[in-house]
Amino acid sequence: MKTAITELFGIEHPIIRGGMHFVGFAELASAVSNAGGLGIITGLTQKTPELLAKEIARCRDMTDKPFGVNLTFLPTFSAPPYPEYIAAIVEGGIKAVETAGRSPEQYMPALKAAGIRVIHKCTSVRHSLKAQQIGCDAVSVDGFECGGHPGEDDIPNMILLPRAADELKIPFVASGGMADARSLVASLAMGASGMNMGTRFIATKEAPVHDNVKHALVKATELDTRLIMRALRNTERVLKNSAVDRLLEIEHERGRSLKIEDIHDQVAGVYPKVMIDGDMDAGAWSCGMVAGLIQDIPTVKELIDRIMADAERIIRGRLVGLLDGTEIKSTREVA
Ligand SMILES: Cc1cc2nc3c(=O)[nH]c(=O)nc-3n(C[C@H](O)[C@H](O)[C@H](O)COP(=O)(O)O)c2cc1C
């Protein structure tokens, strides 16, 4: 399948695996790129720019296909050394960067000078337009369903994607709630040029996380995520567990006076405990509603091949069939 996104990033399938803290290591990034998508190393999971340079080199040893790096601009006073991270990306020969969080505006000249294609993750049309204005090549439009930070507007993808299509001139991928061929075909129908998946890729054989995490995703339903940190305007969608229950109690008690220190125990240093040790109650970790659509733990290649084959069947068999009266299958049978 050829779309503006496959052409922009030089990939075979219009599927991106967005940055994920303590998940986006070289193993998963290379697996996605080898399967024809765009794999992404999560920049800030590497504690220093030197370690990021090593991770890029490690990924380069595992694939000769294009892969990218995620740079998340955090709302923090002690910012990581972003210019040094960008130097590691440029020197590592990376040609695709997924930015997220705050606007990447001040870093655009350095990224563009190195010939890097920038895709910025946005949870609103106005931020997408700003990304377009500052020279981003594409955006990843992240709906309310998404795992991680859905922003504060709460607009689901059925509305957000067509709104983005109406306003944007640059290509965009649909992000948040994407799991299978149905997600891809629906996104294409709404004007996207591909899709970005986070949570779904954690439940794959190559994801370098503890098996407990993968099994928790298979077990979870679409009812099992919670929104935390609303009062801090730093909303995050996470998987419900005992630590999240406690966190929500604290949020309820503190109300609008909530401070980040109040929930320090439930949010600080959680990711290695969950992803590496498999301690599923260690604290709050990002997870999308799409958990309800995850029923298995395939290899990345099996997942991507299945999505692309089913997408073709949905388009040719169901959609074209609906038009010419030969439609025979329900989406459930083909997806
Ligand atoms: C465990 C986890 C960690 C994540 N960490 C980051 C991150 O560090 N930076 C970032 O930009 N997005 C992060 N995300 C968001 C994903 O890149 C992606 O936008 C999101 O997962 C899409 O929604 P989905 O989970 O419904 O597919 C994370 C998501 C998950 C599930």
Side-chain angles (χ1 to χ4, degrees):
M1 185 183 286
K2 262 194 186 163
T3 73
I5 287 294
T6 60
E7 300 312 282
L8 183 65
F9 293 114
I11 52 178
E12 193 184 345
H13 306 306
I15 298 175
I16 300 179
R17 203 227 69 233
M20 286 189 283
H21 198 36
F22 273 90
V23 182
F25 293 101
E27 286 80 4
L28 188 55
S30 61
V32 173
S33 290
N34 282 332
L38 184 70
I40 292 190
I41 291 173
T42 314
L44 297 188
T45 299
Q46 302 301 323
K47 290 230 158 22
T48 64
E50 294 72 33
L51 288 172
L52 176 58
K54 282 193 184 144
E55 194 68 6
I56 292 171
R58 217 162 66 80
C59 196
R60 187 85 61 214
D61 283 344
M62 298 180 198
T63 182
D64 53 10
K65 302 267 176 63
F67 62 92
V69 172
N70 167 282
L71 260 190
T72 303
F73 297 108
L74 301 165
T76 160
F77 292 109
S78 56
Y82 287 115
E84 282 89 336
Y85 274 98
I86 290 173
I89 289 168
V90 171
E91 281 155 28
I94 293 294
K95 293 294 171 210
V97 164
E98 177 196 53
T99 53
R102 301 219 157 161
S103 169
E105 186 165 9
Q106 74 179 106
Y107 304 106
M108 287 302 287
L111 293 166
K112 296 311 306 176
I116 291 172
R117 304 267 157 84
V118 179
I119 179 164
H120 187 53
K121 194 150 50 188
C122 303
T123 56
S124 71
V125 174
R126 66 186 184 285
H127 291 149
S128 303
L129 286 170
K130 174 75 182 168
Q132 174 175 280
Q133 188 213 320
I134 65 171
C136 291
D137 300 278
V139 276
S140 195
V141 175
D142 220 14
F144 184 52
E145 306 89 332
C146 74
H149 294 270
E152 309 303 324
D153 290 348
D154 302 355
I155 310 297
N157 270 331
M158 284 298 278
I159 309 298
L160 194 56
L161 297 175
R163 283 282 299 116
D166 283 347
E167 302 252 358
L168 285 172
K169 294 196 176 64
I170 55 174
F172 66 95
V173 294
S175 177
M178 305 291 141
D180 55 29
R182 295 170 295 188
S183 323
L184 177 59
V185 176
S187 301
L188 296 172
M190 286 190 277
S193 296
M195 69 176 176
N196 176 56
M197 298 196 296
T199 305
R200 170 66 265 200
F201 274 123
I202 304 177
T204 57
K205 293 228 162 51
E206 293 91 338
V209 302
H210 198 285
D211 275 351
N212 288 356
V213 181
K214 303 180 189 186
H215 293 304
L217 290 176
V218 172
K219 192 164 155 249
T221 77
E222 65 276 20
L223 303 174
D224 293 330
T225 70
R226 294 291 180 271
L227 294 173
I228 62 167
M229 296 192 286
R230 288 240 91 157
L232 302 174
R233 292 190 63 78
N234 185 28
T235 300
E236 183 179 359
R237 186 180 295 286
V238 301
L239 190 67
K240 179 180 150 54
N241 61 24
S242 61
V244 169
D245 288 343
R246 175 69 197 125
L247 189 160
L248 290 171
E249 271 172 30
I250 297 170
E251 290 196 346
H252 187 69
E253 285 158 18
R254 302 282 194 279
R256 288 178 158 274
S257 64
L258 181 77
K259 298 202 174 51
I260 187 73
E261 303 86 68
D262 299 332
I263 53 171
H264 179 273
D265 289 355
Q266 287 80 28
V267 297
V270 171
Y271 277 79
K273 292 184 200 151
V274 172
M275 299 299 175
I276 297 170
D277 306 340
D279 177 358
M280 299 314 296
D281 285 306
W285 60 279
S286 296
C287 175
M289 284 179 169
V290 74
L293 297 176
I294 297 174
Q295 320 296 353
D296 61 356
I297 305 171
T299 66
V300 167
K301 184 166 165 40
E302 283 162 357
L303 177 64
I304 291 183
D305 284 352
R306 180 168 81 197
I307 291 172
M308 295 315 298
D310 286 347
E312 187 166 345
R313 277 201 291 276
I314 293 175
I315 294 167
R316 290 193 203 282
R318 179 164 164 79
L319 301 184
V320 175
L322 283 169
L323 286 178
D324 63 20
T326 59
E327 193 255 339
I328 35 154
K329 288 172 176 160
S330 76
T331 49
R332 195 150 196 288
E333 283 165 288
V334 294

